Amino acid sequence: MTTPEAREEAVLEAVRKRREQVNDAIPEELPVQRPERLYEASRYLLDAGGKRLRPTVLLTTAESLVDVEPLSSDYRTFPSLDGGTIDIMNAAVSVEVIQSFTLIHDDIMDDDDLRRGVPAVHKEYDLEAAILAGDTLYSKAFEIMLETGADPDRMVEALGILATTCTKICEGQSLDVTFEERANVSPEEYLEMVEQKTAVLYAASACLPAVLLGSDDETIEALYGYGLDIGRAFQIQDDVLDLTVPSDKLGKQRGSDLVENKQTLITVHAREQGVVIDDLVDSDTVEAVTEAEIDAALAELEKAGSITYAKETAEDLVEQGKSRLEVLPDNEARQLLCELADYLIERGY
Amino acid sequence: MTTPEAREEAVLEAVRKRREQVNDAIPEELPVQRPERLYEASRYLLDAGGKRLRPTVLLTTAESLVDVEPLSSDYRTFPSLDGGTIDIMNAAVSVEVIQSFTLIHDDIMDDDDLRRGVPAVHKEYDLEAAILAGDTLYSKAFEIMLETGADPDRMVEALGILATTCTKICEGQSLDVTFEERANVSPEEYLEMVEQKTAVLYAASACLPAVLLGSDDETIEALYGYGLDIGRAFQIQDDVLDLTVPSDKLGKQRGSDLVENKQTLITVHAREQGVVIDDLVDSDTVEAVTEAEIDAALAELEKAGSITYAKETAEDLVEQGKSRLEVLPDNEARQLLCELADYLIERGY
């Protein structure tokens, strides 16, 4: 029986080893070329860090599918299920590039100043550069996916998943914006929004290797479901962490969601319990809010059972996600995907 | 011998007939669905009008390639060159959707208030909605292209062209922004920028039917070249029209490029002739500028030979573009593509 700490350590080590390879691949697939300022702005956020969780899900799923020992096969010449090789690293980079594009445009829309501890792209550069950097990453993600070397029919399916994923992310972001002006969002509506805004990219990350390597439809579908489940759990845990992790560790003001009036699973649950969300925090800006205010709000949300509700919902999703992995061969990589799911809701930041 | 007027009339009629079909197809491929505000914002500019020149190029090229009489075949079940049918209308809509996405984001970047005689999307809605509408159209263009029913290998090639086209448009827009701060842009640099920002989408429009219908590489390449040539000519003519067409007919203030310090082939040429471009117009805003100021600037540019230079450059490009069409069967649709090229530089608005 492994302890949560030992499990977290193992997951972090697995993520770190894949992250190093992904970090090497990003400049290869997205070199800074003319016009330099455009590509520098496009790379800025990618180079600023990030855990590379989605690429890790993608690469580990690939390893489980073809039943190889984790980290034993070159991701650039990865064996497919029916002979031949796939550059599965390109698929991993493509997904990370999509993630980066959405963050750059989201930061403009939310007028967030900081991301990954550095200025947001529209602050470091300007609005024009940030819009254009996001737009460039968008098409580059398709170009990078096109270089995986997959058969045309599998490639078409992969590109279709990439396109519908991007559409759903936009739909989710649009719902999120609408929710800020609505006082009666239900937990079900909130979870639907999170599915579209966040979870679909985890779903794409989990099922794309199955598509590219030649799995059957049942496997593709189960992996898509695993990604949707852990992606929703990831977002719920993010909402919990925003309230519970010290600001310096979080890289931004703790409780910023409450200050900025953003809906989370916690607030939509609390509202249903009769908590008046608007009264939880008086301050209107993250600069003005005090730790004492956040602590008082947190206490009220805990009293309403909303923190527990959010945590339990995330735990249920993770269990459901893990159960879907039974379509995979029973191997070390599958075990890692289970541990990764646990990590997403056990992580402290 | 047809007169320019008769030719223009014939071209406009051909464009109009295809535009009607494209206008019918847009709501079919891009219905307003949940979340409604997102899709309404995405459709806003598409519904506001537009000549649909790029779809017209695409559909007419398809007709010439398979040697059918113009408008005689259903674009939804269009015959490919080796049996089977292609929904070539979807390719036409996809290209128009890309065009619309770039206009929405460009208007934000240039902070332009008006487009096609109506408020720009970020004015009619807001910045958030406009960024998101553009992002939605971006992925929808890929989704719509994926529904042409082409063989996977042709589909992969078409999607690759769509992706690299989008990347080049971003690169061109980035160069355009850079040029606003540079006083020594050469005509060659300007034409390279125009090729990336504007002409590549005409090039894609001309070569995509060849890819989807199964033409050989030589034909695909020649049509790509035709599109690049007429696309550059189109932009140069736009630059000329910005100076010479009355504001009410233009749908925006005449001479706005000069006021906003935008480089055009006219100004980069004039600068090389010793004209001090910054002194041409004193007013800093389109609201403040007078017709007399624009007239005086125009007279100076004419004296420097810059208007003539721009017109001749556009004419040369059109002739070059037309000569590339010899790869096509000699038919009515090919003739129309030639007339369309002439129209692009003969049009008065």
Side-chain angles (χ1 to χ4, degrees):
Chain A
M1 189 85 184
T2 50
T3 64
E5 290 73 22
R7 199 162 59 199
E8 178 164 344
E9 196 47 55
V11 171
L12 288 178
E13 178 70 2
V15 171
R16 188 184 61 71
K17 283 184 171 156
R18 286 166 184 80
R19 178 168 62 230
E20 281 172 7
Q21 294 193 43
V22 172
N23 287 352
D24 287 344
I26 287 170
E28 289 168 14
E29 298 309 320
L30 203 66
V32 174
Q33 60 195 45
R34 189 161 174 276
E36 279 77 12
R37 190 164 182 272
L38 175 66
Y39 282 97
E40 282 163 10
S42 302
R43 279 272 299 281
Y44 182 74
L45 185 59
L46 281 163
D47 290 353
K51 298 192 202 71
R52 318 294 188 211
L53 290 176
R54 295 160 195 80
T56 297
V57 166
L58 192 150
L59 296 171
T60 310
T61 305
E63 291 170 328
S64 179
L65 279 165
V66 300
D67 207 10
V68 296
E69 205 175 316
L71 299 164
S72 68
S73 281
D74 185 347
Y75 294 128
R76 293 295 199 182
T77 54
F78 201 79
S80 81
L81 285 163
D82 47 9
T85 63
I86 296 291
D87 186 340
I88 199 73
M89 177 56 83
N90 262 31
V93 171
S94 174
V95 163
E96 188 70 7
V97 165
I98 291 287
Q99 164 70 359
S100 190
F101 130 65
T102 63
L103 293 178
I104 292 171
H105 281 190
D106 279 6
D107 284 344
I108 301 172
M109 291 186 251
D110 298 340
D111 201 19
D112 282 335
D113 293 355
L114 283 177
R115 171 72 71 176
R116 292 177 180 165
V118 298
V121 176
H122 67 287
K123 295 290 175 184
E124 178 69 20
Y125 294 82
D126 54 35
L127 176 67
E128 268 177 353
I131 291 176
L132 218 41
D135 289 346
T136 304
L137 292 174
Y138 210 147
S139 49
K140 277 287 169 189
F142 284 87
E143 290 189 60
I144 292 167
M145 185 67 80
L146 276 157
E147 298 296 324
T148 49
D151 290 345
D153 51 345
R154 290 171 188 172
M155 182 60 76
V156 167
E157 193 177 346
L159 294 169
I161 289 168
L162 207 59
T164 54
T165 298
C166 292
T167 301
K168 283 191 177 137
I169 291 171
C170 293
E171 291 176 352
Q173 171 71 6
S174 177
L175 282 178
D176 198 15
V177 171
T178 315
F179 284 0
E180 282 174 47
E181 289 153 16
R182 275 184 51 196
N184 59 345
V185 176
S186 68
E188 292 70 29
E189 285 180 301
Y190 177 79
L191 285 170
E192 187 205 353
M193 181 276 286
V194 165
E195 177 175 321
Q196 296 189 321
K197 186 180 169 180
T198 305
V200 288
L201 196 54
Y202 277 96
S205 302
C207 82
L208 278 168
V211 171
L212 293 166
L213 299 170
S215 301
D216 56 35
D217 288 347
E218 188 204 352
T219 305
I220 293 168
E221 206 172 307
L223 288 169
Y224 192 86
Y226 162 79
L228 280 190
D229 290 336
I230 67 165
R232 282 181 289 180
F234 171 83
Q235 183 60 54
I236 295 166
Q237 177 69 0
D238 247 18
D239 296 345
V240 173
L241 294 177
D242 183 77
L243 277 171
T244 55
V245 173
S247 302
D248 58 341
K249 209 172 166 190
L250 204 57
K252 59 176 186 172
Q253 174 61 50
R254 180 168 72 103
S256 61
D257 288 346
L258 278 185
V259 177
E260 291 165 357
N261 208 23
K262 283 195 87 76
Q263 310 265 359
T264 66
L265 190 61
I266 299 162
T267 60
V268 297
H269 176 271
R271 184 175 288 117
E272 291 199 336
Q273 309 308 306
V275 175
V276 182
I277 304 298
D278 287 350
D279 293 351
L280 280 176
V281 171
D282 285 336
S283 301
D284 285 338
T285 66
V286 288
E287 288 77 20
V289 76
T290 64
E291 292 296 314
E293 269 185 285
I294 305 290
D295 284 336
L298 178 57
E300 189 137 358
L301 294 167
E302 274 173 344
K303 208 176 76 189
S306 305
I307 305 288
T308 304
Y309 169 75
K311 284 184 173 171
E312 284 177 358
T313 304
E315 283 163 17
D316 290 347
L317 284 167
V318 161
E319 287 311 311
Q320 182 174 291
K322 290 194 296 189
S323 74
R324 296 186 200 271
L325 296 180
E326 280 160 26
V327 291
L328 292 174
D330 183 5
N331 52 28
E332 204 183 325
R334 184 178 91 174
Q335 182 57 29
L336 189 53
L337 288 171
C338 286
E339 287 165 359
L340 203 88
D342 288 326
Y343 163 74
L344 289 182
I345 56 167
E346 285 170 0
R347 69 201 162 101
Y349 66 98
Chain B
M1 189 85 184
T2 50
T3 64
E5 290 73 22
R7 198 161 60 198
E8 178 163 345
E9 198 47 54
V11 170
L12 288 177
E13 178 70 2
V15 170
R16 188 185 60 71
K17 284 186 171 153
R18 286 167 185 78
R19 178 169 60 230
E20 281 172 6
Q21 294 193 42
V22 172
N23 287 352
D24 287 344
I26 287 170
E28 289 168 15
E29 298 309 320
L30 202 67
V32 173
Q33 60 195 46
R34 188 160 174 275
E36 280 77 12
R37 189 164 182 271
L38 175 66
Y39 283 96
E40 282 164 11
S42 302
R43 280 272 300 280
Y44 182 75
L45 185 59
L46 281 163
D47 290 351
K51 298 192 203 70
R52 317 295 188 211
L53 290 175
R54 295 161 195 79
T56 297
V57 167
L58 192 149
L59 297 171
T60 310
T61 306
E63 290 170 329
S64 179
L65 279 165
V66 301
D67 207 11
V68 296
E69 205 175 317
L71 299 164
S72 68
S73 280
D74 185 348
Y75 294 128
R76 291 297 198 179
T77 54
F78 201 79
S80 81
L81 285 162
D82 47 10
T85 63
I86 296 293
D87 186 340
I88 200 72
M89 178 56 84
N90 262 29
V93 171
S94 174
V95 163
E96 188 70 8
V97 165
I98 290 287
Q99 164 70 0
S100 190
F101 130 65
T102 64
L103 293 179
I104 293 171
H105 281 189
D106 279 6
D107 285 344
I108 301 172
M109 292 187 252
D110 298 339
D111 201 18
D112 282 335
D113 293 355
L114 283 178
R115 170 72 70 176
R116 292 177 179 163
V118 298
V121 176
H122 67 288
K123 295 289 175 188
E124 178 69 19
Y125 293 82
D126 53 34
L127 176 67
E128 268 177 353
I131 291 177
L132 218 41
D135 290 347
T136 304
L137 292 174
Y138 210 146
S139 48
K140 277 288 170 187
F142 283 87
E143 290 188 59
I144 293 167
M145 184 67 80
L146 276 157
E147 298 295 324
T148 50
D151 291 343
D153 52 345
R154 290 172 188 170
M155 182 60 75
V156 167
E157 194 177 344
L159 294 170
I161 289 167
L162 208 60
T164 54
T165 298
C166 292
T167 301
K168 283 191 176 137
I169 292 171
C170 292
E171 291 175 353
Q173 171 72 5
S174 177
L175 282 178
D176 198 14
V177 171
T178 316
F179 284 180
E180 281 174 47
E181 289 153 14
R182 275 184 51 195
N184 59 346
V185 176
S186 69
E188 292 72 27
E189 285 181 300
Y190 177 78
L191 285 170
E192 186 205 353
M193 181 276 286
V194 166
E195 176 175 320
Q196 297 190 320
K197 186 179 168 179
T198 305
V200 289
L201 197 54
Y202 276 96
S205 302
C207 82
L208 278 168
V211 170
L212 294 166
L213 299 170
S215 301
D216 56 36
D217 288 348
E218 189 203 353
T219 305
I220 293 168
E221 207 173 307
L223 288 169
Y224 192 86
Y226 162 80
L228 280 190
D229 291 335
I230 68 165
R232 283 179 291 180
F234 170 83
Q235 183 60 55
I236 295 166
Q237 177 70 2
D238 246 19
D239 297 344
V240 172
L241 294 176
D242 183 77
L243 277 170
T244 56
V245 173
S247 303
D248 58 341
K249 207 170 166 192
L250 205 58
K252 58 176 186 173
Q253 174 60 50
R254 179 169 72 102
S256 61
D257 287 347
L258 277 184
V259 177
E260 290 166 356
N261 207 24
K262 283 195 85 76
Q263 310 266 356
T264 66
L265 189 61
I266 299 163
T267 60
V268 299
H269 176 270
R271 184 175 289 117
E272 291 199 335
Q273 309 306 308
V275 175
V276 182
I277 304 298
D278 286 350
D279 294 351
L280 280 176
V281 170
D282 284 336
S283 301
D284 285 338
T285 65
V286 288
E287 288 77 20
V289 77
T290 65
E291 292 296 314
E293 269 185 287
I294 305 289
D295 284 336
L298 178 57
E300 188 137 358
L301 293 167
E302 275 173 342
K303 208 177 76 188
S306 305
I307 305 289
T308 304
Y309 169 76
K311 284 183 172 170
E312 284 176 357
T313 304
E315 282 163 18
D316 290 347
L317 284 167
V318 161
E319 287 311 312
Q320 183 174 291
K322 289 195 296 190
S323 73
R324 296 188 200 269
L325 295 181
E326 280 159 26
V327 292
L328 293 174
D330 183 6
N331 53 27
E332 203 182 326
R334 184 178 91 174
Q335 183 57 31
L336 190 53
L337 289 171
C338 286
E339 287 165 0
L340 203 89
D342 288 325
Y343 163 74
L344 289 182
I345 55 167
E346 284 169 2
R347 70 201 161 101
Y349 65 99

